[in-house]
Structures are given as structure tokens and as C-alpha cells.
Amino acid sequence: MTSYRVQQLLHEGKAKRVFATDRDDLVAVEFKDDATAFNAQKKAQLQGKGALNCRISALIFEYLSAAGVPTHYLGVDGTNWMLVRPVQIVPIEVVVRNVAAGSLCRQLPIAAGTALQPPLLDLYYKDDALGDPLLTEARLQRLALLSPQQLKALEQLAFQINDELRTLFERCRLQLVDFKVELGFTATGELVLADEISPDTCRLWDRGQSDPKGRILDKDRFRQDLGGVIEAYGEVLKRVQGQCPKPRVYG
Ligand code: TMP
Ligand code: ASP
């Protein structure tokens, strides 16, 4: 057990609040029940979502850490709190796509469900006011957010995370269609996985179901008004629980 005290709010996002603690090496993240989609044009409160995403993320971070993926994750405290290392978040939404879905099919003539081999990496500039625009290599260079070496490290880490997540989810009889991650730099300049990995940030299809709507076990249930959002997240939790180390407990 590591004791700490939660202090001031550092940042409030759509699904989480980030707090400083009385320890320099520890930041506390509270997972909220707020659900948003389409850049927060659609909003709801889904009771229990925060706790489910906190638990699912913790289990997945434990799994990825054990597989050698560097993360900001340290442990959990109670149902909705995660303890992490302080990081400087790179303002890039890193999306890896294994199967065509969502915005890719709206923006390009690629049929939904098309397998993408090799997987497609899409980088978006993280800025709600600008609607998280898709980045090009030239735009990335112009913004000078990362050195060429750091960009290479980001791409490698994204594909490593995809490989590990695909293996994990296949064991859970879930198809990893696509996902978004955020990465950050630690105080010593190490690039690590940060934020969360949950049904809010992944598209997951139940391998045991062929019905195109019935198989959806992620936030698309909320985006498309399919109902059963919390039940779907609960099913994901049940399945990952069997495949991941138990989360370390703080507090
Ligand atoms: P997209 O199809 O809308 O581009 O989404 C790709 C993946 O990224 C999908 O798994 C959902 C996730 N995602 C987020 O986690 N946050 C976001 O703000 C968006 C737009 C997508
Ligand atoms: N996370 C984004 C929002 O809250 C978009 C999405 O996930 O669809 O609006």
C-alpha cells in the first residue's frame, strides 16, 4: 500500500478528471460516468461507466506492462481512481485501424468491415475546438510537436500496442477493429502509453456473434443509439478479467 493525498484539479476532460497529489511522482485520475460522442455534441450520464472503464483500463495496462509496453500506469484505488506517473501528454490522438469502420469509411471509399493489412495508422491533432483534424506528415513537421526520432518511436509504440492488444482481445474472443491511444513523455523523457484503453477508445466486436449490430461491445452502442452500453462494457470487463494480471492497489 502507498499512501497519498489527492490535491488540486489539474485537468478535466470529457470522461476523466486529473488531480495532483502530495507526491511528485503520483497523479490521480478519476473516471467519470459522462459519455460523449461527436465532439461532445451528444452527451449522457451512464451510471457505472467510470468504474467499468477504470477497471478495464487497469487490467489492460497491467497486461501491457507485463508484455514490456512502457505505460504511465501504477495502480488503482477504489472503483473509479487510477494512479499514474505524471506525463506530458503529446497532443496527438494516435489511431490504429485493423478493420475499416467509423470515420475512415465516411471519408474514403473503403467499405466498412474491410480488413486492413498492414494496419493503418492515423494521427489527429488533439484539439476539441478544431475538431481533432487529421494530420499529414507535412503538417506534423510544421507544428514541430515531435522530432523525427520521437515520431518514429511513437509509430513503433503504436504498432507494438496494437500487436499486444490484438493477442489479448483474441483470447477474449473479441475482434479489435480499431483504437485510439494517447502517449506522453515522463520527466526523464521516456515515451509511454497514457490516458486509458477501454470500450470508449476501442472498437470491439464479439467473435461469437455475426449480427453487425449485436456484435458491437463498445462506444458505438452509444454513438448509434443501440442501447445496452453498460451491459456491453460489463461483458468486455468479464472477458479481459480472465486474461490479465490483477490491478495493483494503492491507498
Ligand atoms: P473514428 O472512426 O471516429 O476515427 O475512431 C477511431 C477509433 O478511435 C475508435 O476506436 C474510437 C476512437 N476514438 C476515441 O477514442 N476518441 C475520439 O475522440 C474519436 C473520434 C475516436
Ligand atoms: N470522444 C469524442 C467525444 O466525446 C468522440 C467520440 O468518441 O466519438 O466527442
Side-chain angles (χ1 to χ4, degrees):
M1 293 269 222
T2 307
S3 69
Y4 67 95
R5 228 183 271 275
V6 174
Q7 294 185 329
Q8 78 275 17
L9 180 70
L10 297 175
H11 170 76
E12 177 153 9
K14 292 192 282 272
K16 297 183 292 298
R17 288 188 195 95
V18 181
F19 294 86
T21 72
D22 57 350
R23 290 179 43 161
D24 287 347
D25 57 350
L26 214 61
V27 166
V29 182
E30 183 190 15
F31 285 67
K32 304 191 286 184
D33 284 344
D34 299 355
T36 66
F38 314 117
N39 204 7
Q41 288 175 62
K42 179 173 174 149
K43 286 188 199 171
Q45 279 277 311
L46 297 176
Q47 212 194 334
K49 183 178 83 79
L52 283 162
N53 279 352
C54 183
R55 196 76 189 169
I56 293 167
S57 288
L59 286 158
I60 293 174
F61 284 143
E62 289 284 354
Y63 178 94
L64 291 175
S65 302
V69 174
T71 79
H72 73 335
Y73 167 84
L74 293 170
V76 290
D77 186 1
T79 55
N80 288 62
W81 290 86
M82 182 179 284
L83 287 312
V84 302
R85 290 193 277 167
V87 293
Q88 190 75 45
I89 293 284
V90 178
I92 295 177
E93 301 215 334
V94 179
V95 172
V96 182
R97 303 175 188 275
N98 297 302
V99 176
S103 70
L104 183 70
C105 304
R106 289 196 298 275
Q107 293 169 359
L108 292 175
I110 301 177
T114 304
L116 303 168
Q117 194 50 254
L120 198 66
L121 179 74
D122 280 335
L123 304 182
Y124 299 85
Y125 182 54
K126 186 176 156 64
D127 187 321
D128 284 341
L130 298 176
D132 298 339
L134 182 64
L135 287 164
T136 61
E137 236 178 283
R139 287 180 180 195
L140 248 172
Q141 255 181 40
R142 183 66 187 77
L143 289 175
L145 297 173
L146 298 168
S147 68
Q149 292 82 355
Q150 288 172 329
L151 178 59
K152 204 160 171 219
L154 177 143
E155 290 171 352
Q156 276 173 356
L157 189 52
F159 286 123
Q160 183 191 4
I161 293 166
N162 186 45
D163 288 345
E164 296 298 344
L165 286 181
R166 280 174 74 162
T167 304
L168 166 64
F169 286 126
E170 281 307 327
R171 290 185 189 147
C172 302
R173 291 168 293 110
L174 295 168
Q175 183 174 16
L176 178 61
V177 173
D178 57 29
F179 65 93
K180 183 266 301 184
V181 284
E182 292 179 28
L183 308 180
F185 287 105
T186 64
T188 57
E190 188 192 7
L191 185 66
V192 300
L193 170 61
D195 193 47
E196 67 176 284
I197 297 186
S198 73
D200 266 11
T201 60
C202 301
R203 284 196 173 91
L204 297 167
W205 292 350
D206 187 351
R207 284 278 190 202
Q209 283 208 48
S210 52
D211 176 67
K213 290 200 165 115
R215 69 186 174 187
I216 295 172
L217 293 178
D218 57 65
K219 196 159 104 175
D220 272 349
R221 298 206 73 83
F222 173 68
R223 294 190 188 98
Q224 299 175 29
D225 290 320
L226 299 176
V229 181
I230 290 299
E231 292 76 3
Y233 284 37
E235 182 61 29
V236 172
L237 173 59
K238 211 168 79 189
R239 294 192 194 188
V240 294
Q241 240 160 8
Q243 302 295 337
C244 299
K246 239 177 125 185
R248 285 161 268 179
V249 176
Y250 269 67

